[in-house]
Amino acid sequence: MPDRLYLEQFGNVHALPVLHYRMEFAHLVREAFDRVKPDCVALELPQTLEEQFLRGIRRLPELSVLAYHVAAQSVFLLIEPADPLIEGARLALERKVPLHLVDIDLDSYPSHPDHLPDSYSVQRIGLEPFYREVAKLYRDIPPCEEDLRRERGMAYRLKQLSAQHERVLFICGMSHLERIRHSFDAPLAQPLTRTRREGITILNLHPECLHEVLAEYPFLSAVYETRRTALGPEPPANGHSLRKSFNAFELILGGKESIPEEEALAESVQRSAHRIGEEGEFPDRQKIMLRLFLEAARHYRQETGDKVHFWQKRAFFRFARNYALMTRMLLPDLFQMLAAARGCLDDNFAYAFFRLAARYHWQRETSDLPTIRLSADELWSSTKRIRFRPRERVRAKGFSHLKMMNRKKEKRPGDWLEGFDDPYICSYPPEDLSIEEYGRNLKRIGARQLSEEGSKSEPFTSSLLDGVDMRETLRNLHEGKIYVKENKRLKSGVGCVVVIFDEDKEGSRYPYCMTWLGEHAQESDMAFYATPPTDNIVGPGISRCEYGGFLLSYPPRRIVDVWHDPDYRHATGKGELLLLAALDYSLEKDVVYAAAKPPRSFMKQHAARLNKRIIYLPLGSLSPVALKKLRAFHILYGRDKRDIARDYIW
């Protein structure tokens, strides 16, 4: 790897050229400290801000914003850890090195829309070639009068410091350094500048606005902050889950224990800090992005039961990379990653990704300072929009309105347990409608499959029958005949439907076995096995479960508890037990069986003895999107929960 650190030296001043608010340059400040061992640190900030600025530095890792007014406008300076000036000030205070703010205070300063290379380049090529290329860009841009005043003022202060100290470390933006170096050797007069500014305040940033206003997204800042100090033991991979889980005894006795979401998210940050490299190693932004994806995928599986497949991971990173290249960057920003998460996976994954990316666990709503909420419009010149769900709105850095699922949370630990006092359970009607419609669709698919299997082709004579068979006609083109197809009509209808997502041979993943009766004449009886309701509590008296497999039997009110029926004791698994029950309860000859594997030959023989027939549909031939939506369902403890369920079900 190249020597990433580069310092411009003039006199006894060691100048580090940086890009503001970029993590790579914050780490280069640490390397510069170790190499130069300065006895003085100079920062590109005005001295009028020093008192409140140092107060904000001492609050870290809690984030602050320094605010003051110029004319009718508000000026904000964010104090966040992944910024080189902030890192320089922190190290100076920690190592008891004199700190000086050497910039001059101006009442007006023009905005410069700089188009600079991606800071990740420093990770690969080092700082020197990166700085040389950036310096070439700035040579072609004539400086404004305000820049010249600032640069002459900083050069003057550096001359004073160089006369008082042996080694001065100067941390400065790349756009100014070359002209400061030239001015350092020229005779300079003391600049006329403001020496005092009134109305400077230091405020606490509200944690809900961090993802919107921080230059580096909060997860990256949190990983960087964690690696600033000695890393403790790595949290276990099977640590806290984001599912709101209670055991059965707590449900019955009204227990109040729960694991807060904050602990699970904080563990993800700590685990990522360990796995991006050795302690003290240069932090790789690309590895942090990978860890963010993997931890979000872990949370996504905990909450939904869906696994992120390799092809989805590959599509995510390819999409995000191409999106970044379109904006002339090497790696994507948070908005681009969220767009990739939503497009390459789904809205639930995008929400899990966003929730973790916006995580900075040191920040609190209350502190010894007043708390302020800021929006992207108040700090950044342009914003973008992205939508996860059409119901709720949340704001995020870089885009003015971020739509996502504003899922309700417990007001206090165990609050949702109070909704489980009703002894009766029921389903959620919109999910009932979905599964009934899917069952009817599978019946149509099964009937069509039987019809196609019994079809025959013959040369055209006097009737087209069910249409021209193009395949058979082309196959026998040498005969010069047209072949037509006759589809066999299904004499009987399709009765029961069985869908098996997971055989669950060991019986540990889907231990919850239940038989439900239809509530009215338009609803089927149902038997299923699923994850336990106590594993994922999503609301007061509302549990989110995941089907391992289910049976639909119509007409309703006929089925008994199939899980304790001795007639099915010889079944080799839960899926086979449901198929045996389907053959028993079906009023029609045919039963649809959708699963990853076909039923064993014994089941076909058993069906023949009952004068029934099994129509096997490979699970891979069905729409994975439809199956994914169907697989998650909710159990409501009491009919009264149906009135509030839509606020908690996602």
Side-chain angles (χ1 to χ4, degrees), residues 19 22 114-121 130 285 320-333 336 384:
L19 295 183
R22 304 304 288 174
D114 297 328
H115 300 286
L116 298 173
D118 194 326
S119 63
Y120 185 68
S121 307
F130 183 92
R285 184 183 295 266
R321 177 203 63 191
N322 292 342
Y323 198 170
L325 292 177
M326 288 177 62
T327 57
R328 298 185 177 182
M329 302 298 283
L330 295 177
L331 294 181
D333 59 20
Q336 293 165 340
K384 296 179 182 178

Side-chain angles (χ1 to χ4, degrees), residues 250-322:
E250 287 177 324
L251 287 175
I252 295 172
L253 301 176
K256 301 299 179 184
E257 296 181 5
S258 66
I259 299 298
E261 177 182 292
E262 288 73 13
E263 290 187 24
L265 297 177
E267 282 186 359
S268 294
V269 171
Q270 295 166 10
R271 190 162 38 247
S272 299
H274 279 82
R275 298 191 181 185
I276 65 169
E278 297 295 328
E279 191 171 335
E281 187 177 312
F282 201 96
D284 191 322
R285 184 183 295 266
Q286 195 169 17
K287 290 181 180 179
I288 295 175
M289 177 181 165
L290 173 62
R291 290 305 313 171
L292 173 58
F293 179 89
L294 295 177
E295 291 294 332
R298 178 172 170 268
H299 297 163
Y300 172 70
R301 185 167 189 180
Q302 287 176 350
E303 291 190 303
T304 66
D306 296 324
K307 180 182 178 181
V308 175
H309 300 284
F310 175 78
W311 65 268
Q312 292 174 311
K313 174 182 172 184
R314 181 177 58 188
F316 170 87
F317 284 101
R318 183 177 295 172
F319 182 99
R321 177 203 63 191
N322 292 342

Side-chain angles (χ1 to χ4, degrees), residues 306-372:
D306 296 324
K307 180 182 178 181
V308 175
H309 300 284
F310 175 78
W311 65 268
Q312 292 174 311
K313 174 182 172 184
R314 181 177 58 188
F316 170 87
F317 284 101
R318 183 177 295 172
F319 182 99
R321 177 203 63 191
N322 292 342
Y323 198 170
L325 292 177
M326 288 177 62
T327 57
R328 298 185 177 182
M329 302 298 283
L330 295 177
L331 294 181
D333 59 20
L334 178 56
F335 175 86
Q336 293 165 340
M337 288 190 286
L338 287 172
R342 184 192 61 181
C344 298
L345 286 100
D346 59 19
D347 294 86
N348 283 333
F349 180 80
Y351 173 76
F353 191 95
F354 168 80
R355 179 181 52 196
L356 184 56
R359 177 66 188 163
Y360 188 84
H361 57 273
W362 291 278
Q363 202 67 9
R364 297 290 181 265
E365 292 186 20
T366 58
S367 73
D368 57 332
L369 299 178
T371 299
I372 186 175

Side-chain angles (χ1 to χ4, degrees), residues 53-70:
F53 175 74
L54 292 179
R55 186 180 177 187
I57 295 296
R58 293 187 179 98
R59 290 189 73 240
L60 288 167
E62 288 187 80
L63 308 181
S64 312
V65 58
L66 194 151
Y68 59 94
H69 296 278
V70 174

Side-chain angles (χ1 to χ4, degrees), residues 59-181:
R59 290 189 73 240
L60 288 167
E62 288 187 80
L63 308 181
S64 312
V65 58
L66 194 151
Y68 59 94
H69 296 278
V70 174
Q73 292 185 334
S74 297
V75 179
F76 300 103
L77 173 65
L78 297 177
I79 300 177
E80 55 181 288
D83 173 63
L85 297 184
I86 305 303
E87 183 61 51
R90 292 184 78 179
L91 289 174
L93 294 182
E94 291 170 359
R95 303 185 186 186
K96 296 180 172 52
V97 176
L99 175 66
H100 299 273
L101 310 186
V102 298
D103 204 349
I104 64 173
D105 192 342
L106 299 178
D107 286 333
S108 63
Y109 187 73
S111 176
H112 296 294
D114 297 328
H115 300 286
L116 298 173
D118 194 326
S119 63
Y120 185 68
S121 307
V122 176
Q123 177 78 27
R124 300 301 181 185
I125 65 174
L127 179 56
E128 182 175 6
F130 183 92
Y131 172 59
R132 297 302 179 205
E133 291 300 318
V134 172
K136 289 179 185 178
L137 297 176
Y138 283 115
R139 289 192 198 108
D140 299 332
I141 303 174
C144 63
E145 182 59 33
E146 289 83 357
D147 276 334
L148 292 176
R149 283 186 60 193
R150 291 181 57 206
E151 289 154 7
R152 286 194 292 265
M154 285 187 277
Y156 179 83
R157 289 284 289 124
L158 287 174
K159 271 191 172 183
Q160 290 182 320
L161 294 176
S162 66
Q164 301 168 9
H165 300 276
E166 293 183 6
R167 295 177 302 280
V168 178
L169 177 60
F170 177 44
I171 304 171
C172 173
M174 292 187 179
S175 61
H176 305 293
L177 182 55
E178 190 168 341
R179 290 191 292 269
I180 292 174
R181 181 166 56 86

